[in-house]
Amino acid sequence: MGATRRRIGAGTVIVLALIAVAAVCVVSGILPSADAGALGLRTAPVLGFVVAITIVAELARDAGVFDVLAQRLARWGRGRVIALWASVVALAVVSTVFLSLDTTAVIGTPVVVVLAQSIGVSPLPFALATVWLANTASLALPVSNLTNLLAAPAIGADPAAFLALSWAPTLVGVLIPVALLTIVHRRTLFGAYRVPQAGTPSDRLLFWGSAGVLVVLLPMLTLTHDVWIPATAAALLMLVLFAVRRRHVLRLSLVPWQALGLAAALFVLVEAAHANGILDFLTSVAPSGHGMGALLQLAAMGAVTANGVNNLPAYLILEPAAGDPVALMALLIGVNLGPLITPWASLATLLWHHRIVALGVTISWPRFMLWGVVVAVPTVAVAGLVLALVAG
């Protein structure tokens, strides 16, 4: 009994409590059945994508795709840490843009941390780059962040319409954190290292099959609005491949149950609050128009709310106050680029911290929050200004 209690962490208890409250809202009618049905139709494809892309990423990791990629990056760096740094930044950005911020936090973090440790340099800048870029690069495409998937239907009919507004703020979201880390950790990043020997995957068929699925999947995610379809097809292909070659790794824990429960509960609770008029006051205090000041104010509101309660409910709370695609993008700047300060502002941050602690990397939360303020404030502000210029 004691062992069971130890296995249930505080995070799990909080998620279960939120699910219970959300269920009460639905069953009791606090969230009317019509609103609940509409919410289900809107969020089912979003949650389905999360399940599929998580399965793809986890199985690709098990096949050694990310480990081999990290080894290749180390060799391509030719002993120069700054070249390796550029490769790691590119890997974090590509992983976030196409496979979502949580994938970068869960799978990218151990790859880059172990890579840094294997060549004898401080893993801290690499670890911070992973978590910061997991959030700030997640503005790029609808698939990059759960908040984007929720906003995408109102922003445009296809990913190109989304990218037309997001590309410039995303560029800001990448450049400012990377520039700050490069300056602060310049002694480490402009050093040298001994190139490690290249490893080989234990199962070549699994490796090449998984790599092939990813190569086909990534462009598909940028070409279709219903991203859950190619992601689900890729997950099914990977499941079949592993059922034949490595059946023992197929387990229910591949599905991110806790993240799904948290997301679904937050969807219901915020929708119930909107249905009962609890959040109506936000539409009166939110700015209107596409002026630079209005967009900056909306982005700031998103960032502050995200650091207060988490970026997902922050988006849902403020969504009614953003009445058009440009305003929605300003809100996304706040809730995607802004949650770098508090530990709970983004699920990706909590997942990242769990991984780095397991790998022996320590950073205190006060220090993390201080650096988060330093990078989040200018990043959100400059991204908001750039959006105003692009939209104008």
Side-chain angles (χ1 to χ4, degrees), residues 30 32 35 269-283:
I30 294 175
D35 292 335
L269 293 175
V270 174
E271 188 66 20
H274 279 305
N276 289 277
I278 298 174
L279 302 175
D280 288 350
F281 73 95
L282 290 172
T283 57

Side-chain angles (χ1 to χ4, degrees), residues 69-135:
L69 179 58
Q71 293 166 3
R72 295 293 172 86
L73 293 177
R75 296 183 66 81
W76 291 339
R78 297 179 180 273
R80 295 170 298 169
V81 179
I82 193 64
L84 182 60
W85 170 246
S87 300
V88 166
V89 168
L91 176 64
V93 171
V94 171
S95 171
T96 300
V97 169
F98 293 102
L99 297 176
S100 85
L101 74 167
D102 293 336
T103 295
T104 300
V106 172
I107 295 173
T109 298
V111 171
V112 300
V113 169
V114 171
L115 175 61
Q117 292 170 333
S118 70
I119 63 173
V121 301
S122 170
L124 185 58
F126 295 87
L128 286 173
T130 304
V131 69
W132 283 355
L133 292 174
N135 286 285

Side-chain angles (χ1 to χ4, degrees), residues 5-358:
R5 285 200 187 98
R6 283 194 295 271
R7 284 197 298 268
I8 301 177
T12 302
V13 172
I14 292 172
V15 171
L16 291 174
L18 288 173
I19 292 172
V21 175
V24 169
C25 289
V26 174
V27 173
S28 66
I30 294 175
L31 177 62
S33 57
D35 292 335
L39 178 66
L41 290 174
R42 182 187 182 192
T43 59
V46 174
L47 297 179
F49 169 78
V50 172
V51 172
I53 204 66
T54 302
I55 291 173
V56 169
E58 287 286 354
L59 293 181
R61 178 198 58 79
D62 197 271
V65 173
F66 299 108
D67 290 339
V68 170
L69 179 58
Q71 293 166 3
R72 295 293 172 86
L73 293 177
R75 296 183 66 81
W76 291 339
R78 297 179 180 273
R80 295 170 298 169
V81 179
I82 193 64
L84 182 60
W85 170 246
S87 300
V88 166
V89 168
L91 176 64
V93 171
V94 171
S95 171
T96 300
V97 169
F98 293 102
L99 297 176
S100 85
L101 74 167
D102 293 336
T103 295
T104 300
V106 172
I107 295 173
T109 298
V111 171
V112 300
V113 169
V114 171
L115 175 61
Q117 292 170 333
S118 70
I119 63 173
V121 301
S122 170
L124 185 58
F126 295 87
L128 286 173
T130 304
V131 69
W132 283 355
L133 292 174
N135 286 285
T136 60
S138 72
L139 186 68
L141 293 173
V143 300
S144 309
N145 198 321
L146 199 56
T147 54
N148 299 356
L149 286 171
L150 293 170
I155 290 179
D158 57 69
F162 192 98
L163 188 61
L165 289 175
S166 70
W167 71 269
T170 300
L171 191 60
V172 170
V174 171
L175 291 179
I176 290 181
V178 170
L180 178 63
L181 284 171
T182 303
I183 293 170
V184 172
H185 296 278
R186 57 189 179 277
R187 292 185 179 178
T188 296
L189 298 179
F190 286 93
Y193 67 91
R194 179 175 295 178
V195 179
Q197 294 295 320
T200 57
S202 58
D203 189 317
R204 289 183 176 273
L205 180 59
L206 271 183
F207 172 79
W208 287 111
S210 300
V213 169
L214 285 176
V215 168
V216 174
L217 174 63
L218 297 190
M220 292 296 294
L221 295 177
T222 67
L223 298 174
T224 178
H225 175 67
D226 297 317
V227 292
W228 67 273
I229 296 176
T232 301
L236 292 174
L237 285 173
M238 296 281 277
L239 289 170
V240 171
L241 182 60
F242 271 78
V244 174
R245 302 292 295 183
R246 197 175 289 174
R247 184 187 296 268
H248 68 277
V249 306
L250 300 180
R251 56 198 184 278
L252 287 175
S253 59
L254 286 174
V255 178
W257 298 110
Q258 186 162 318
L260 287 177
L262 176 64
L266 291 173
F267 285 153
V268 170
L269 293 175
V270 174
E271 188 66 20
H274 279 305
N276 289 277
I278 298 174
L279 302 175
D280 288 350
F281 73 95
L282 290 172
T283 57
S284 62
V285 300
S288 59
H290 295 167
M292 190 173 292
L295 294 179
L296 285 173
Q297 186 179 342
L298 189 53
M301 287 176 63
V304 170
T305 308
N307 282 290
V309 300
N310 181 265
N311 65 335
L312 180 58
Y315 172 79
L316 294 170
I317 289 169
L318 295 170
E319 183 186 46
D324 58 72
V326 177
L328 279 171
M329 187 57 64
L331 175 57
L332 288 176
I333 287 174
V335 300
N336 288 10
L337 276 61
L340 306 179
I341 303 172
T342 58
W344 56 83
S346 168
L347 176 61
T349 301
L350 295 174
L351 295 172
W352 166 84
H353 189 261
H354 177 74
R355 289 298 173 101
I356 66 165
V357 169

